[in-house]
Structure formats: structure tokens, C-alpha cells
Amino acid sequence: MEFLVRIQVRLPPDMPADQRQVLLQAEAVKARELMAEGLLMRIWRVPGRQANVSLYRAQDADELHSAISGLPLWPSTEISVEPLATHPLEASPSS
Amino acid sequence: MEFLVRIQVRLPPDMPADQRQVLLQAEAVKARELMAEGLLMRIWRVPGRQANVSLYRAQDADELHSAISGLPLWPSTEISVEPLATHPLEASPSS
Amino acid sequence: MEFLVRIQVRLPPDMPADQRQVLLQAEAVKARELMAEGLLMRIWRVPGRQANVSLYRAQDADELHSAISGLPLWPSTEISVEPLATHPLEASPSS
Amino acid sequence: MEFLVRIQVRLPPDMPADQRQVLLQAEAVKARELMAEGLLMRIWRVPGRQANVSLYRAQDADELHSAISGLPLWPSTEISVEPLATHPLEASPSS
Amino acid sequence: MEFLVRIQVRLPPDMPADQRQVLLQAEAVKARELMAEGLLMRIWRVPGRQANVSLYRAQDADELHSAISGLPLWPSTEISVEPLATHPLEASPSS
Amino acid sequence: MEFLVRIQVRLPPDMPADQRQVLLQAEAVKARELMAEGLLMRIWRVPGRQANVSLYRAQDADELHSAISGLPLWPSTEISVEPLATHPLEASPSS
Amino acid sequence: MEFLVRIQVRLPPDMPADQRQVLLQAEAVKARELMAEGLLMRIWRVPGRQANVSLYRAQDADELHSAISGLPLWPSTEISVEPLATHPLEASPSS
Amino acid sequence: MEFLVRIQVRLPPDMPADQRQVLLQAEAVKARELMAEGLLMRIWRVPGRQANVSLYRAQDADELHSAISGLPLWPSTEISVEPLATHPLEASPSS
Amino acid sequence: MEFLVRIQVRLPPDMPADQRQVLLQAEAVKARELMAEGLLMRIWRVPGRQANVSLYRAQDADELHSAISGLPLWPSTEISVEPLATHPLEASPSS
Amino acid sequence: MEFLVRIQVRLPPDMPADQRQVLLQAEAVKARELMAEGLLMRIWRVPGRQANVSLYRAQDADELHSAISGLPLWPSTEISVEPLATHPLEASPSS
């Protein structure tokens, strides 16, 4: 099952640059793991904002929550999750 | 996987009483089928409104959509679906 | 009477990990008490967020408020409460 | 238990004046019954609008829903219900 | 003239317990004065939140503002005020 | 006491031009009466919309509601009313 | 450049079933053309609603608007479009 | 003075194609007049919607309202107007 | 041209009383200057809140912005500005 | 392709005046570079607020994001981006 996930990062503006750098790098490492495992399928930058939209494929909401809440930036984010169903056009693309 | 579903019925106020009655009865029949199949687990009336909150258990969003869109009132409703994950308190109630 | 309750936890991101741990454990202990007393009937994790949806059964809004405001995390939460009425489908499931 | 109820009437602007009159009179008759029964405790006009705010006392959400959904104007309204708990100032006014 | 007032208290979660206690007690003392003077007619707890709904009777918005802004918690609250008009059902309850 | 009133007119786009004209003229006549009586103090057009913002002075919400609900367009409007208190700068402009 | 598009279909509930069928089929035909042309990359059903979320790739907003406004259901929809930028994780997945 | 104007057209989906065509053409004629007069400076299509964003330069809100309310589609639109002030970067681009 | 301006003051609750006093006095001095210059025509207190609604008359949005951004409290406020056009009732009150 | 961008600056009210000055000057320098490069085409002050509306022309959302996220104030802003399509009136102004 697929999920559309929106993540807005809310790091304090006065966070030291190096601390921010360390955090963002750890985030990227973890995100690449989720991509390698096939959970994180696509990810886009929301233009102009420290935010992203992403597409996850997970067994259910439990597996999804486990993946997202393991991201290093998780305590400093606002997240919303939207469940997606298969559209008939993708279920039978040539019928 | 469980889903929280909100349904607001929007029948036109000037619909003849008997037509409305037929529709609501067909809706109840179908809903009882969903209860018997274990998809519709709980349902509550939103006090003061022709609306309900319900708890579904489905394989995924596809099975859920199939169940809801088969309800006779479906074309006259506003519906929102929220995915639910297992809470640690229910996963291990006595640990 | 049943109530649908939504709780979003808002702990500061810079709270020390051990202090956070203590608080979350105290919360779990108190929540299990409410489950044992039959007030907290179901609880779900909102996927991707430090938030939950729960189902309470209480005599009235007073008993509900007393239960919720006694949770250790209460001062750091945003909470909304929705009253639920019995749906005809549950009142007379086989008629 | 008390409830704060908001009712916005949405009669079509082109409804004939006499039909509207009949409906509003039936509404007043029913509302006075609810007042006599002690369910409808207070009611206020929202200035400038065909809307009201009211205070109900009911056993629970079921009794409240039964009262409200029995109002003749019910199919032509938008309604919201808010549960109220006892405030400490009213629970022990002189302590 | 009556007003419906909503007050959400926003005390910082890390405020020392005794300081909070002093503030809440001063608030209760002042609120009881307003009740004795006939300005604060009813007050309800919003279940689950450090918030209340109240009913004031005041000469006009000036007297109301003076009463509310004199509450010790005022600088730490979010407040909204709604004017109420007499409903025909209360103006002539038996006609 | 003064009130800020917002009125959005919602006449159906397909209303015949002459019927609309008659209605708008009756509205203007009634509005001028309210101005002459000192209730309607100021009125502005919301640019780009069939809407206005106005300033009323009335004894209380009852007198205000009576004035507004007597406007010929009232059944075809969306209205909101905001109570206004005296600002210290106007109460004592030179102190 | 990619765009996230949300489409809520708003067909009148009383539209004859066969007319609705014809319209939905024409919509599917056109959508498959957009898929074949590489504009419509992914499409999901919003569970419980006659709505979808889709991912388009287009040269710019002009090509996107041309594609969407050519859909047979376009006059009966509510649509929102969100521009997407490349996320660093996709720009350099292995660096 | 400049204004940012948003116009959402709300023509009924069942309007005959030729009537719609006549209306849209009359709209284009009037809009070109406003462009020639220097009132309508820029106009953009909101992608995916029968809506536009435009930039007007007018003496004041009166001249703006007169221009917009003279558009043939005006009775079938939802419009919002936002006033714009000169930004320092444009006031003194080279200082 | 007239503008309706809403200002919500957001001073931190823990600001020392004397510092707050100095700031509010400086604000009043500046506001009286704006009144003397004919820019600030009316100002009302929003009952229950540290907020006001005011009516400005200015040449255009530039003069208005200059006046408002010169207020001592400006960095601690949330402000919205609404442009107002002349209403026909005021343009020709007796025609 | 053009984009409409809204930027609300959120500098802490207690930031020292000179630090604020340095930041705002660096912002102006960078913004002028974007103007010289043809990315930032127009910019307006939102009257009464430390906010602006601007019009960008960029290849796509990537180039736009790169430009905006390079602004010195970026970590202290709330930004939204809206894609714009060509309006027929500008595509063929004289046809």
C-alpha cells in the first residue's frame, strides 16, 4: 500500500551551522536506507521551503510509522500522512 | 489495518420522504453486510448531524475504498479517511 | 457515553532524552490504569506523528476531563474531544 | 451533562413566505416542548444571521441527538455540538 | 446584553508548579468577584483542555473588556468574544 | 455600542436583471433609513465583490439584529457581526 | 518538471447513470492518452472519495494546464496544482 | 497603486457551450480594454483551474472596483483583492 | 482612500511590567500623531484581546505602510490590511 | 515559467537592531543579484507587514528553489510558491 507523506522541517533558526549539518547528513543516510529497502519510493523538494513531499510503500500504517519515526529529524518536523488506493487507470492500464 | 472514516450525508432537503426512506434502508442493509464481513467494526452517530464516524478494518486502502464506494448513499456524501497505526499500549498491554 | 479524543504531544525537541523517557513511561502507566478502569477503550497511533486518537467511555464530560487532565503529559499536549452518540446500526444490529 | 449547540438555518431564499412561516412556527412549538422538558435551557439569536446558539442539558449524546433531530427544521440546518464539563468555579462556588 | 466568551489558557509547560498555583488561585478569586457582580453568569470547562467557555452579561463591550482584561491570567490567554441577541423563544416564552 | 458588520450578497447569477434592480433599490431605501436613524454610521464597498463592510451604532445586539434582518436582501446574504469596544485613544484623545 | 495534482470530481448526484458512465469512460480514454504521452506519470484514488491524486511531468505550467483542461470531466472538478522540485536524495542517490 | 486580484470563475457545468463561448468572448473584449487603458497590467492562468491571478494599477480601490465589476463574468465569480505597496528594492533599485 | 487595519499585539507574557508600560506609552504617542495628521481616523478595541481594529485614510498603500511600520509596537504585532472602496450609499446619500 | 512567491519574514522581536540591519542589507544585496539575473522580476511590500509578494521567472521549480533558498533571511521565513501559466490574453493580446 502506498502513502503520500508531507514533512516540514522546523529547525530553530539559531541552531549552529555545524550541528545542523550533522543532523541533515544523518537524515540523508537514513533516508537512503529507506530507499534501498523499497519503503521510500519517491521524494520531492517543496520549492522555497525546507519541506518535502514523498511517496512511501509500506505493508501498513505500522511499518510506515516505524520508518518515519526513525528519521533523525523526526522530533523537529510536522508530518502528515495520506493513504492512497489504486486508481483503476493503473490497475488495468491497457483494458 | 484500521481506518477512521467520517461520512457526512448530504441528501437534498426537498427529497420526497419515501425516496429518502428507501435509500436509508438500502444503506443500512449494505452497512450490516460490511459489519458481518468484519470490515465495519464500529459506527457512531455524530450528535445533531446526519453524519457518522466509523472504524473500519481492511487489508489496505483498496479494500476500504471498495467497501465505502459500494454504499448506496455514496454519491451523496462527503467522506474523509484517516489511516491508523497500532499504539504501543495496544501492542503490548501488559509489558 | 463514548468520546473520540485526539492528543498531539508537543514536547520541546531539545528536551533531554532521559527526561523524555521518564515522562513517556509515566504516561504509559497512567494510560494503562485508565484502560483497566474501562475509561480508555481503544487507542491508535496517528502514523508519522507523536499523536494519538483514542476512544473513551465515561459517565459524562466531567469524568472524561478528570481522566485526561490527570495524564502526566497533559500540560504539553493539544487535545480535542468529540462527543459520540449511538448509531442505529449498533443500537439494533439485527432488527 | 450540558452541551453547547450551534444551529445555522439554511432555508432556500426562494421558499414561499407562507411555507417558511409554517415551518418556523412548527419549529417554535417543538422548541418550547424541549424547554418545558428541561432539555433546552437557554437559546440566543446570533445577531445578523438566521442562526442560534443554545444550551442543552441531556443525559448523554443520544438524548441530545434525539431532541435536535426531531426539530422540524433539522433537514435544512448545519449543526455543531460541543460537550461541556463542570467548571471548578461552579462546582464549588464558595470554597 | 450577553456575550459568549472562550478562553484558552497558554501557560508555559515549564512554569514552576507553585507559581502556576498562585496564578490560578488569583484567577479564581477575581472570577468569583465577577460572578458576585453579576457579570460572569455561567462558566464551563472545555473537556480535555485548559480552556473554558463562559457567559457574561455586561452593559456593552467596554464593560466586558474591562472585566476580562482584569483577570490575572489575561496576558497568557487567547480569547474570543461573541455577541448574543435575544432569541424570540426567550423574549416571549409562552406566547 | 458599535459593531463592525460584513455582508456578502449571494444573489443567484441567473436572477433577471429587473428583479435584481428592484431588490437592490429597496435595499438602498432601507439602508438610508438606517443611516437617518443613526444606526448605520459608515458603509464601504469591498472592492471587486458584491459585499460591504459597515459600522453600526446600536443599543445592543437586539437592536442591531432587528435593523439588519429588516434589510430586503437579508435572506440572500452571509453576514458576520463583530462587537467593538472603545479604544483608550478615543476615550481620552488628549490625556 | 513534475507537478502534484489533486482532482475532486463534483458530478451532480442526480445525473443519470448512463450519462455518468459515458463521461467517466471518455475521461479514462483521455487520461490513458496523457499516460502514453508521458505527461501523466502516476495516479492514485483518494480512498472513500471520487477524487484522485496524480503526478504529472510537463515542460511547464502551460503544458500542464493544457493537459488537465482537456479532460472531459474538467468543468465538473475542483483542482489544485503543486509544483515539485528535485530533492537532493534523487539528484544524487549514491553520493 | 497596484493591486493583486484573484478571480475564480464559477459558471454552471451545464451551461450550453455556445452561451459560455459568448460570455467568455465578451470577457476577453472587456479585459483587453482594461489592458489598453493601463489598468490591467498582467494576467496569469492558475494552472488546472478556470481561474486567474492578475495585477492591476488603479488610482484607488474605487477605480479598481469599477473596472472589475464591469467584467461580463463578474456575477459568476469569486474575487479577492490585495493591496500592494512599493518594495524598497523597486523604489531604489541601484542605491 | 480608506483601509481597515487589524492589529494583534503579541508581547511576551514575561516582559517586565515597566518595559511594557514604556512601550505602550510610546505607541500611544505615535498613534496620536497619526490621528492629528488625519491618517488614523478611528480605532476600536477588540473586546477581550490586546488587539484593535482601525480605520486609516491614506494616499495609497505606501503611505499606509509607512505609518504602520513606524509604530513602536510594530515588530511585536500581527497585522492585516484590507482596502475599502466607496459605497454608493456614501457616494450619493440623497440621490 | 513564472511563479508567484510570498515571503513572510519572522525575525525574533528581540534581535539586536544592528544584527537585524546587517541581515536585511545582505538580503537586499542578494535580491538585487536575482533581479540582475532576470529571476526576480517584480517585488511588492505587503502593506503593514514584514512580508512581500514577488514574481519570479525561472526555468523550473529547481532553479526557483535554488534562488530562494540562497537568500540570507531564508531560515527565518515562511514561504509559499504558486506556479503560473500563460493567460490567453497575454499569449495573443491582439487576436
Side-chain angles (χ1 to χ4, degrees):
Chain A
M1 179 180 163
E2 291 174 293
F3 296 89
L4 194 68
V5 178
R6 310 186 76 93
I7 300 186
Q8 169 73 49
V9 180
R10 295 267 184 226
L11 291 176
D14 58 353
M15 177 179 274
D18 54 346
Q19 189 180 340
R20 178 186 295 259
Q21 199 55 30
V22 167
L23 210 47
L24 291 177
Q25 251 166 352
E27 181 82 1
V29 168
K30 182 68 188 168
R32 285 205 180 91
E33 286 177 23
L34 295 177
M35 292 171 89
E37 292 164 19
L39 277 113
L40 176 50
M41 299 175 72
R42 291 294 312 271
I43 183 164
W44 300 270
R45 164 74 66 222
V46 180
R49 301 173 57 175
Q50 194 159 9
N52 60 69
V53 176
S54 54
L55 180 69
Y56 278 79
R57 172 170 287 157
Q59 194 62 30
D60 52 21
D62 288 359
E63 193 185 26
L64 178 73
H65 181 70
S66 171
I68 294 176
S69 63
L71 289 167
L73 281 175
W74 189 60
S76 302
T77 53
E78 287 176 16
I79 297 187
S80 68
V81 166
E82 182 183 3
L84 299 171
T86 306
H87 193 280
L89 283 170
E90 292 204 346
S92 57
S94 63
S95 67
Chain B
M1 178 180 162
E2 291 174 294
F3 296 89
L4 193 68
V5 178
R6 310 187 77 94
I7 301 186
Q8 170 72 49
V9 180
R10 296 266 185 226
L11 290 176
D14 58 354
M15 176 179 274
D18 54 346
Q19 187 179 341
R20 178 186 296 260
Q21 200 54 31
V22 167
L23 209 48
L24 292 177
Q25 252 165 352
E27 180 82 0
V29 168
K30 181 68 188 170
R32 285 206 179 88
E33 285 177 25
L34 296 177
M35 291 171 90
E37 292 164 18
L39 276 113
L40 177 50
M41 299 175 71
R42 292 291 313 271
I43 182 164
W44 299 269
R45 165 73 65 224
V46 180
R49 301 173 57 176
Q50 194 159 9
N52 60 68
V53 176
S54 54
L55 180 68
Y56 279 78
R57 172 169 288 157
Q59 195 62 30
D60 53 21
D62 288 0
E63 193 184 27
L64 178 73
H65 181 70
S66 171
I68 294 176
S69 64
L71 290 166
L73 281 174
W74 190 60
S76 303
T77 52
E78 287 175 17
I79 298 188
S80 68
V81 166
E82 180 182 5
L84 299 171
T86 307
H87 192 279
L89 282 169
E90 293 204 346
S92 56
S94 63
S95 67
Chain C
M1 177 180 164
E2 291 174 293
F3 296 89
L4 193 68
V5 178
R6 310 186 77 95
I7 301 185
Q8 170 72 48
V9 180
R10 296 266 184 225
L11 290 176
D14 58 354
M15 177 180 273
D18 55 345
Q19 188 179 341
R20 178 186 296 259
Q21 199 54 31
V22 167
L23 209 47
L24 292 177
Q25 250 165 353
E27 181 82 0
V29 168
K30 182 67 187 170
R32 285 206 179 88
E33 286 177 23
L34 296 176
M35 292 171 89
E37 293 164 18
L39 277 114
L40 176 50
M41 299 175 72
R42 291 293 313 271
I43 183 165
W44 300 269
R45 164 73 67 222
V46 180
R49 300 173 57 175
Q50 194 159 9
N52 60 68
V53 175
S54 55
L55 180 69
Y56 278 79
R57 173 170 288 156
Q59 194 62 30
D60 53 21
D62 288 0
E63 192 185 28
L64 178 74
H65 181 70
S66 171
I68 294 176
S69 63
L71 290 166
L73 281 175
W74 190 60
S76 303
T77 53
E78 288 175 16
I79 297 187
S80 69
V81 166
E82 181 183 5
L84 299 170
T86 306
H87 192 280
L89 283 169
E90 292 204 346
S92 57
S94 63
S95 68
Chain D
M1 178 179 162
E2 290 173 294
F3 296 89
L4 193 69
V5 178
R6 309 187 78 93
I7 301 186
Q8 170 73 49
V9 179
R10 297 266 183 225
L11 291 176
D14 59 354
M15 177 179 273
D18 55 344
Q19 187 179 340
R20 178 186 296 260
Q21 199 53 30
V22 168
L23 209 47
L24 292 177
Q25 251 165 353
E27 181 82 0
V29 168
K30 181 67 187 169
R32 284 206 180 87
E33 286 177 24
L34 297 177
M35 291 171 89
E37 293 164 19
L39 276 112
L40 177 49
M41 300 175 70
R42 292 292 313 272
I43 182 165
W44 300 269
R45 165 72 66 223
V46 180
R49 300 173 57 176
Q50 193 157 10
N52 60 68
V53 175
S54 54
L55 180 69
Y56 279 79
R57 173 170 287 159
Q59 195 62 31
D60 52 22
D62 288 0
E63 192 184 27
L64 178 73
H65 181 71
S66 171
I68 294 176
S69 62
L71 290 167
L73 282 175
W74 189 62
S76 302
T77 53
E78 288 175 16
I79 298 188
S80 69
V81 166
E82 180 182 4
L84 298 171
T86 307
H87 192 280
L89 282 169
E90 293 204 345
S92 55
S94 63
S95 68
Chain E
M1 178 179 164
E2 291 173 294
F3 296 89
L4 194 67
V5 178
R6 310 186 78 92
I7 301 186
Q8 170 72 49
V9 180
R10 297 264 184 227
L11 291 176
D14 58 354
M15 176 180 274
D18 55 345
Q19 187 180 342
R20 178 186 296 260
Q21 201 53 31
V22 168
L23 209 47
L24 292 177
Q25 252 165 352
E27 181 82 0
V29 168
K30 182 67 186 170
R32 284 205 181 90
E33 286 177 23
L34 296 176
M35 292 171 90
E37 292 164 19
L39 277 113
L40 176 51
M41 298 175 72
R42 291 291 314 270
I43 182 164
W44 301 270
R45 165 73 65 220
V46 180
R49 299 173 58 174
Q50 193 158 11
N52 61 68
V53 175
S54 54
L55 181 68
Y56 278 79
R57 174 170 287 156
Q59 195 62 29
D60 52 21
D62 288 359
E63 192 185 27
L64 178 73
H65 181 70
S66 171
I68 294 176
S69 62
L71 289 167
L73 281 174
W74 190 60
S76 303
T77 53
E78 288 175 16
I79 298 187
S80 69
V81 166
E82 181 182 4
L84 299 170
T86 306
H87 192 279
L89 283 169
E90 293 205 345
S92 57
S94 63
S95 69
Chain F
M1 178 180 162
E2 291 173 292
F3 296 89
L4 194 68
V5 178
R6 310 187 77 93
I7 301 186
Q8 170 72 50
V9 180
R10 297 266 184 225
L11 291 176
D14 58 354
M15 176 179 274
D18 55 345
Q19 188 179 341
R20 179 187 294 262
Q21 200 53 31
V22 167
L23 209 47
L24 292 177
Q25 252 166 352
E27 181 83 0
V29 168
K30 182 67 187 171
R32 284 204 181 90
E33 285 177 24
L34 296 177
M35 291 171 90
E37 292 164 19
L39 277 112
L40 176 50
M41 298 174 72
R42 292 293 313 271
I43 182 164
W44 299 269
R45 164 74 65 223
V46 180
R49 302 172 57 175
Q50 194 159 9
N52 60 68
V53 175
S54 54
L55 179 69
Y56 279 79
R57 173 170 287 158
Q59 194 63 30
D60 52 21
D62 288 0
E63 192 184 28
L64 178 73
H65 181 71
S66 171
I68 295 176
S69 62
L71 290 166
L73 282 174
W74 189 62
S76 303
T77 52
E78 289 174 17
I79 298 188
S80 69
V81 166
E82 181 183 4
L84 299 171
T86 306
H87 192 280
L89 283 169
E90 293 204 344
S92 57
S94 63
S95 68
Chain G
M1 179 180 162
E2 291 174 292
F3 296 89
L4 194 67
V5 177
R6 311 187 77 93
I7 301 186
Q8 170 73 50
V9 180
R10 297 265 184 226
L11 291 176
D14 59 354
M15 177 179 274
D18 54 345
Q19 187 179 342
R20 178 187 295 260
Q21 200 54 31
V22 167
L23 209 47
L24 291 178
Q25 251 167 352
E27 181 82 1
V29 167
K30 182 67 187 170
R32 285 206 180 88
E33 285 177 23
L34 296 177
M35 291 171 90
E37 292 164 17
L39 277 112
L40 177 50
M41 299 174 72
R42 292 291 314 272
I43 182 164
W44 300 268
R45 165 72 66 223
V46 180
R49 301 174 57 176
Q50 194 158 9
N52 60 67
V53 175
S54 54
L55 180 68
Y56 278 79
R57 173 170 288 158
Q59 194 63 29
D60 52 21
D62 288 0
E63 192 185 27
L64 179 73
H65 181 70
S66 172
I68 295 176
S69 63
L71 290 166
L73 283 174
W74 189 61
S76 302
T77 53
E78 288 175 15
I79 297 187
S80 69
V81 167
E82 181 183 4
L84 298 171
T86 307
H87 193 280
L89 282 169
E90 292 204 346
S92 56
S94 62
S95 67
Chain H
M1 178 180 162
E2 291 173 293
F3 297 88
L4 193 68
V5 178
R6 310 187 77 93
I7 300 185
Q8 170 72 49
V9 179
R10 297 267 184 224
L11 291 175
D14 59 353
M15 177 180 274
D18 54 345
Q19 187 178 342
R20 177 187 295 260
Q21 200 53 31
V22 167
L23 210 47
L24 292 177
Q25 251 166 351
E27 181 82 1
V29 168
K30 182 67 188 170
R32 284 206 180 89
E33 286 177 24
L34 296 177
M35 291 171 90
E37 293 164 19
L39 277 112
L40 177 49
M41 299 175 71
R42 291 293 314 271
I43 183 164
W44 300 269
R45 165 72 66 222
V46 180
R49 301 174 56 175
Q50 193 159 10
N52 60 68
V53 176
S54 54
L55 180 69
Y56 279 78
R57 172 170 287 158
Q59 194 62 31
D60 53 22
D62 288 0
E63 192 185 27
L64 178 73
H65 181 70
S66 171
I68 294 176
S69 63
L71 290 166
L73 282 174
W74 189 61
S76 303
T77 53
E78 288 174 16
I79 298 188
S80 68
V81 166
E82 180 183 5
L84 299 170
T86 307
H87 192 280
L89 283 169
E90 293 204 344
S92 56
S94 62
S95 67
Chain I
M1 178 180 163
E2 289 173 294
F3 297 89
L4 194 67
V5 177
R6 310 187 77 94
I7 300 186
Q8 170 72 50
V9 179
R10 297 266 183 225
L11 290 176
D14 59 353
M15 177 179 274
D18 55 345
Q19 188 179 341
R20 177 186 297 260
Q21 201 53 31
V22 167
L23 209 47
L24 292 177
Q25 251 166 351
E27 181 81 1
V29 167
K30 181 67 188 171
R32 284 204 181 90
E33 286 177 24
L34 297 176
M35 292 171 89
E37 293 165 18
L39 277 112
L40 176 50
M41 299 174 72
R42 291 292 314 271
I43 182 164
W44 300 268
R45 165 73 65 221
V46 180
R49 300 173 57 175
Q50 193 159 10
N52 60 68
V53 175
S54 54
L55 179 68
Y56 278 79
R57 174 170 286 158
Q59 194 63 28
D60 52 22
D62 288 359
E63 192 184 28
L64 178 73
H65 180 69
S66 170
I68 294 176
S69 62
L71 289 166
L73 282 174
W74 190 60
S76 303
T77 53
E78 288 175 15
I79 297 186
S80 69
V81 166
E82 181 183 4
L84 299 171
T86 306
H87 192 279
L89 283 169
E90 293 204 344
S92 57
S94 62
S95 69
Chain J
M1 178 180 163
E2 290 174 293
F3 296 89
L4 194 68
V5 178
R6 309 187 77 92
I7 301 186
Q8 170 72 49
V9 180
R10 296 269 184 224
L11 291 176
D14 59 353
M15 177 180 273
D18 54 346
Q19 188 179 340
R20 178 185 296 260
Q21 200 55 30
V22 167
L23 210 47
L24 292 177
Q25 250 165 352
E27 181 82 0
V29 167
K30 182 67 188 171
R32 285 205 181 91
E33 285 177 23
L34 296 176
M35 292 171 90
E37 292 164 19
L39 277 114
L40 176 50
M41 299 175 72
R42 291 292 315 271
I43 183 163
W44 300 269
R45 164 73 67 223
V46 180
R49 301 172 58 175
Q50 193 159 10
N52 60 68
V53 175
S54 55
L55 180 68
Y56 278 79
R57 173 170 287 157
Q59 194 63 29
D60 52 22
D62 288 0
E63 192 184 28
L64 178 73
H65 181 70
S66 171
I68 294 176
S69 63
L71 290 167
L73 281 174
W74 190 59
S76 303
T77 53
E78 287 175 16
I79 298 187
S80 69
V81 166
E82 181 182 5
L84 298 171
T86 306
H87 193 280
L89 283 169
E90 293 205 344
S92 57
S94 63
S95 68

